[in-house]
Amino acid sequence: MSINLHLRSELGKLLEHRSALTPTTTKNLIEAGYHVNVECSPQRIFNDEEFEKAGATLVGESTWRDAPKDTVIIGLKELPVEQFPLEHVHVQFAHCYKEQRGWETVLARFARGGGTLLDLEFLQDDRGRRVAAFGYHAGFAGAALALETWAWQLTHPKNEPFPSVSSYPNENDLIADVKKAVAQGSEKTGKAPRVLVIGALGRCGTGAVDLCLRAGLPTKNVIKWDMAETAKGGPFLEIIESDIFVNCIYLTSKISNFVDMKSLENPDRALSVVCDVSADTTNPNNPIPIYTVATTFDKPTVPVEVNNDPPLTVISIDHLPSLLPREASESFSEALLPHLLELKHWKQNPVWSRSEKLYKEKVATLPKSALCLFDWPTPVNESYGWHFQYLTIIGLALATVTFAFGSIADITASSQLFKIKNALSVCSAPLEVLISLLYWSIRAIDKSLVMPEWVELDPWADLGFHAVPAILLLIDLLFLSPPWTITLLPSTILSLVLAFSYWFWVEYCFTQNGWYPYPLFEVLNRQNRAGLFVFSALLMVVSTAGLKAVYRWVNGKQGREFRRKIEGNGKAEQWKDLLT
């Protein structure tokens, strides 16, 4: 079985130089029978020519959008924030499974398009261990920046922020810079910094510890904590007593805070740098609730407001491995390769199928609001006339305005507003009855005549759009309003004006968009559509007359007496105005 893979560029992530595929892993995939497209990218650490020599086909940036539906799209970081639905299988880090800010919008795009997210963060083996991760280089880079920030604070004015950073070509160059910075800071304090690493036994923590030792810190100055040390629950005094705290845990649920604003009030605080390698900035369970801003290579640190010295800054960069993009990419892609080779039958592969199962579980938790009218990118959202091409939406808008005037009139006891509401009701109630009659009768014959193929409407939402407004307006008319005074001729004129205005509106939108909102209009020719609108106008006239008859029947003698009272009582002139 042949399968197409498409490596997209990290468009929109200007400081992201890593790649999920390298020229080496690309060559291995091609030799295994995969066809690999690689989007050209000026920012990727590997040159386009390196991929081309490996046998890949170079394509333009963002061409993954138009790739065949069975293509697997491979990326690294989350996609740019856009609205259109995603129909492919995507292999990437999406950062939307732990209820991060905006997770509903990100995840809903896959659900709306019928695509699948195979999140790299949650690819696990049979023991529950991640098959590939950037953790080691994240910890390595995070500890490097933390040491440099510590030294910067000691050698520069208090309010001067740590400058921007950029990627290094290799580890040796980075370590050389860190050693230089540590030497400068130690000269000021007379001692090496004390660094506490939580999560020291994992990939990330191992990288942080290795960097500290390779930078020349004494072993005793690198305190390695893991689950055993944090089991007692924080906040921890040991963090406050250290110069640098590097958080390398993998957060899955709520735990006690490691440090908080109250603990920072300790007069013996030595802590001046926190590097949150986990970067759970927007996670509500973040155990370091002393900052709310994610940092970047352009602005690596964010200050924390404390009442005493030393100053305290936080590093929370979610792309730390990009400080060493070549080594990080090669290590990650090599670990991922055995599983990439299984993409030909990914649904049967336990690693990939577990990821798909998790995706479906997360989609099931999406709130209904994530699939609402405004956020759902459809052809209508981007067309001329928007959703007001639909008679249903026009009717809903008119009904909403009618009820709004009625509610305000009830609250303010305004006779003028009530008069406006009563006049609107003459239009909105017959129109909603017409919409309900047409929709449900045509739908009973053939649903595809009134529902475009890309629409999947929840049954309750269907009732809410096409039945509830008519029911509520009928209740308002029959039990909460005075009788209508509109006669046959004005009713006919009003119905014809509404019907033909809508017809002209739909035809004009067609000239702009090239398609009709209701599939039924595509089936009918111009003469048939004219006949349909004439029939609809007449049906609305009948609806108006029928509603008046039902009103008289429901209200009976009491209603007639009410009208005679209004017509004969000069003191009720105000009510008479409302009915005419």
Side-chain angles (χ1 to χ4, degrees), residues 509-526:
C509 289
F510 176 80
T511 65
Q512 302 297 312
N513 303 321
W515 46 267
Y516 289 104
Y518 292 107
L520 175 63
F521 295 162
E522 302 278 359
V523 176
L524 302 176
N525 58 32
R526 183 177 291 272

Side-chain angles (χ1 to χ4, degrees), residues 498-511:
L498 290 175
F500 281 89
S501 295
Y502 179 63
W503 180 26
F504 294 144
W505 166 241
V506 166
E507 292 293 344
Y508 182 72
C509 289
F510 176 80
T511 65

Side-chain angles (χ1 to χ4, degrees), residues 46-90:
F46 304 101
N47 295 328
D48 297 337
E49 292 74 17
E50 294 182 71
F51 285 102
E52 192 171 34
K53 288 179 181 177
T57 301
L58 297 182
V59 295
E61 286 189 301
S62 297
T63 52
W64 64 268
R65 302 165 187 245
D66 303 315
K69 193 172 180 179
D70 60 353
T71 301
V72 176
I73 311 300
I74 300 176
L76 199 63
K77 302 297 288 185
E78 61 272 19
L79 290 163
V81 178
E82 295 178 285
Q83 293 296 313
F84 65 90
L86 301 171
E87 61 178 11
H88 298 94
V89 174
H90 285 258

Side-chain angles (χ1 to χ4, degrees), residues 9 85 91 329 484 576:
S9 71
V91 177
S329 298
W484 293 343
K576 186 176 181 180

